[in-house]
Amino acid sequence: MTIIKGHAPFRQTITDGMTIAGAIGGSGPPLLLLHGYPQTHAMWHAIAPALAESFTVVAADLRGYGDSDKPVDDPAHLTYSKRAMAADMVELMERLGFLHFAVVGHDRGARVTHRMCLDHPDRIMRAAVLDIVPTHHMYLTADREFATAYYHWFFLIQPAPLPERLIGADPEFWLRSKLAHWGRAPTAFTATAVAEYLRCFRNPATIAASCADYRAAASIDLTHDDEDVRAGRKVRCPLLVLWGADGFVGRKYNVLEVWRQYAVDVQGHSVPGGHFLPEEAPAETLAALQSFLAE
């Protein structure tokens, strides 16, 4: 299902029978929107309709999230590597008829976007990442401040079933606490959107998959990132970076300076609020995306 006005829900089967769900709407050049943790494609509800006036907008649920399939993880966490998740999205767009497209990712979706730009540079025309710096940099420079603010990175990677059992005991409390902890505008989250996040996150398979996502980030994803750094591979397409003016990422990092170590054509700025830019600062986020995507 979808709560995005003017968009139709879809379920598209890709390689190995995997099904990716989401919503599609509008007309014009293709634009892929990817959500973060612990949300679904519904997080784009405030800005996707306006983007659809100029683009064919595909808002997709990452594997393991929303109504997309949730395969069982493997010991090496390849199943939930950002490489696998990026490949899902490239194939999804191809099956929808789009060989080349722009992509905007928030949080986990932004990390998938980063990997997609590295692994499929011929497919991505322009990319935007919202409220992250690269995983590689964050682990490389981890300190007490980072571990305190992003404690969930270290909790979710603990061996199964520890985080799964603890979160599963009260998934609504966990999800609402994350929205409150990372956001700076509690009224930004509509009841309809939160109900949709809860509908999906209450599924034990979603909880398990999201833990696997973070376990991959602390293992196989870092292996892939190290390989790219040693080879000198960087994001080549134009890259827009946005972050919350009152969030941890902007406070902790010189965001543009960090990204210029990983990409060759970087621009960006902060927008009001905390981590959840499309919901906390929809007007400012939309304006920045429209200006960048129109270039």
Side-chain angles (χ1 to χ4, degrees):
M1 63 177 293
T2 185
I3 67 168
I4 302 179
K5 184 178 179 180
H7 287 58
F10 69 79
R11 290 182 60 82
Q12 176 66 56
T13 301
I14 59 173
T15 300
D16 297 331
M18 173 86 65
T19 297
I20 299 297
I24 186 168
S27 61
L31 172 62
L32 175 64
L33 303 180
L34 298 177
H35 65 88
Y37 178 92
Q39 299 174 293
T40 73
H41 78 270
M43 65 161 286
W44 300 104
H45 67 90
I47 66 173
L51 289 170
E53 294 175 6
S54 302
F55 300 93
T56 300
V57 173
V58 178
D61 291 333
L62 298 169
R63 70 160 64 185
Y65 292 87
D67 289 317
S68 289
D69 281 354
K70 299 158 183 64
V72 175
D73 196 23
D74 64 284
H77 309 305
L78 288 163
T79 303
Y80 286 92
S81 68
K82 303 310 152 299
R83 175 158 288 165
M85 297 169 91
D88 287 348
M89 295 302 147
V90 169
E91 184 178 354
L92 168 68
M93 293 300 280
E94 182 172 349
R95 289 183 180 246
L96 292 175
F98 308 121
L99 287 178
H100 307 98
F101 54 93
V103 57
V104 179
H106 172 255
D107 187 77
R108 309 311 291 173
R111 301 189 190 283
V112 174
T113 297
H114 184 196
R115 174 48 56 193
M116 200 183 313
C117 290
L118 293 169
D119 286 1
H120 306 277
D122 58 322
R123 299 296 188 96
I124 311 304
M125 308 306 293
R126 305 180 79 79
V129 290
L130 277 51
D131 212 56
I132 72 160
V133 296
T135 306
H136 177 267
H137 181 84
M138 293 180 79
Y139 272 122
L140 192 67
T141 60
D143 58 13
R144 182 175 63 183
E145 184 181 13
F146 169 71
T148 301
Y150 273 37
Y151 73 90
H152 64 291
W153 277 38
F154 304 95
F155 169 59
L156 296 175
I157 67 175
Q158 298 307 308
L162 177 65
E164 290 91 336
R165 288 282 296 276
L166 295 178
I167 295 170
D170 194 344
E172 180 171 354
F173 174 81
W174 174 260
L175 185 142
R176 289 186 182 277
S177 72
K178 296 305 99 189
L179 298 181
H181 178 202
W182 301 328
R184 296 293 180 270
T187 59
F189 305 104
T190 68
T192 302
V194 173
E196 179 64 5
Y197 305 149
L198 285 170
R199 178 185 70 83
C200 296
F201 196 75
R202 285 191 178 105
N203 183 348
T206 301
I207 297 172
S210 63
C211 291
D213 172 12
Y214 280 84
R215 291 177 184 127
S219 55
I220 187 62
D221 288 347
L222 289 178
T223 298
H224 294 156
D225 290 343
D226 285 337
E227 291 170 352
D228 287 327
V229 170
R230 288 196 300 271
R233 283 188 288 271
K234 296 185 177 183
V235 174
R236 297 290 171 182
C237 70
L239 182 70
L240 175 68
V241 183
L242 302 176
W243 63 94
D246 300 319
F248 171 75
V249 169
R251 181 176 74 249
K252 176 65 174 174
Y253 305 102
N254 184 327
V255 181
L256 294 181
E257 181 179 295
V258 172
W259 271 107
R260 285 174 179 141
Q261 300 173 40
Y262 294 85
V264 299
D265 182 0
V266 180
Q267 60 180 282
H269 54 83
S270 66
V271 299
H275 177 60
F276 300 98
L277 279 60
E279 290 166 289
E280 294 189 73
E284 295 85 352
T285 302
L286 174 63
L289 292 175
Q290 287 174 323
S291 176
F292 172 72
L293 294 169
E295 290 179 10

